[in-house]
Amino acid sequence: VQLVQSGTEVKKPGDSLKISCKGSGFSFTTYWIGWVRQMPGKGLELMGIIYPYDSDARYNPSFQGQVTISADKSINTAYLQWSSLKASDTGIYYCARILTFGGLIEYWGQGTLVTVSS
Amino acid sequence: NFMLTQPHSVSESPGKTVTISCTGNSGSIASNYVQWYQQRPGSAPTTVISENNQRPSGVPDRFSGSIDTSSNSASLTISGLKTEDEADYYCQSFADNSWVFGGGTKLTVL
């Protein structure tokens, strides 16, 4: 099982961004894939999850409307997207394979560092 | 809102046993499974305990998890401490339609 994420991003406030997570070694359409934020020096926050089979996306309340989670099952890839970045979006974003709806994370991606600065 | 509270830091000597607590502020911690994740400096997290007390393949049996309904808390116990266990540890569960992580505990092995 591998989750390989896209590379480091440096953006300006107001920019849009879409980062990716490509899964391999497992049936991508039959597991939830989640995104976890870690702000600098802070803890982990599960932003939301998606079921690639039917693109059913669920968000943690604090992230609803702030980001969009999507997936393209034809290429085993999940995405996390912002339409207008803020400096407070700076952090490391991990994708994860989730076994249960309760958030049991089995495998983690390597993380994508996003820096938003003017 | 459901929250999980962990001690900010703990420290113990090599070879000893340490227990990290994770206390729920409402409801019953037994209502949903608790997971524990280890994050070494500069690395992605890894899962050390799933579903309250299950060890994923490859996790040494020095790691164990438990639930105490009387204190509404979960615990991660690491025995025979090694310097490689020095890391941040996070508990995680699901309640009130939210996925919740504890704030994390920094374990120092010295």
Side-chain angles (χ1 to χ4, degrees):
Chain A
V1 174
Q2 276 198 308
L3 296 166
V4 178
Q5 299 184 228
S6 51
T8 297
E9 300 279 358
V10 180
K11 293 290 188 179
K12 296 188 185 308
D15 284 352
S16 62
L17 176 64
K18 192 174 190 178
I19 61 175
S20 65
C21 168
K22 183 173 177 61
S24 63
F26 66 101
S27 177
F28 191 73
T29 55
T30 60
Y31 288 89
W32 292 92
I33 300 295
W35 288 95
V36 176
R37 180 176 79 174
Q38 187 166 39
M39 299 173 72
K42 302 297 184 183
L44 305 173
E45 302 169 275
L46 182 53
M47 305 169 73
I49 64 176
I50 190 165
Y51 196 67
Y53 176 78
D54 57 5
S55 288
D56 180 10
R58 312 289 181 94
Y59 296 87
N60 234 355
S62 56
F63 292 96
Q64 182 80 47
Q66 306 304 306
V67 295
T68 301
I69 295 172
S70 61
D72 184 342
K73 63 183 179 182
S74 69
I75 56 172
N76 290 355
T77 300
Y79 302 96
L80 176 64
Q81 183 174 8
W82 295 261
S83 59
S84 180
L85 286 161
K86 303 183 285 288
S88 57
D89 292 317
T90 294
I92 299 175
Y93 292 84
Y94 297 99
C95 68
R97 191 181 94 170
I98 296 177
L99 182 61
T100 68
F101 191 79
L104 165 51
I105 297 173
E106 295 183 292
Y107 295 95
W108 298 74
Q110 83 276 19
T112 295
L113 173 61
V114 174
T115 302
V116 184
S117 174
S118 55
Chain B
N1 288 352
F2 182 69
M3 295 174 58
L4 294 170
T5 300
Q6 301 180 231
H8 182 70
S9 63
V10 295
S11 62
E12 190 50 271
S13 302
K16 300 291 190 179
T17 297
V18 69
T19 296
I20 299 171
S21 63
C22 169
T23 303
N25 68 329
S26 64
S28 171
I29 200 154
S31 296
N32 286 284
Y33 287 124
V34 175
Q35 280 68 238
W36 289 90
Y37 305 101
Q38 176 194 67
Q39 187 178 33
R40 295 191 174 106
S43 296
T46 61
T47 307
V48 292
I49 292 290
S50 63
E51 297 183 324
N52 297 341
N53 55 20
Q54 302 300 303
R55 275 189 315 277
S57 174
V59 175
D61 60 6
R62 302 185 296 106
F63 290 79
S64 63
S66 63
I67 297 290
D68 181 355
T69 54
S70 67
S71 58
N72 208 37
S73 65
S75 294
L76 171 68
T77 298
I78 310 171
S79 60
L81 276 169
K82 300 183 176 185
T83 54
E84 68 203 44
D85 298 330
E86 188 161 289
D88 293 326
Y89 291 86
Y90 297 89
C91 60
Q92 176 269 319
S93 190
F94 179 80
D96 297 337
N97 287 315
S98 297
W99 299 282
V100 179
F101 280 94
T105 298
K106 182 176 181 59
L107 170 62
T108 302
V109 181
L110 41 64

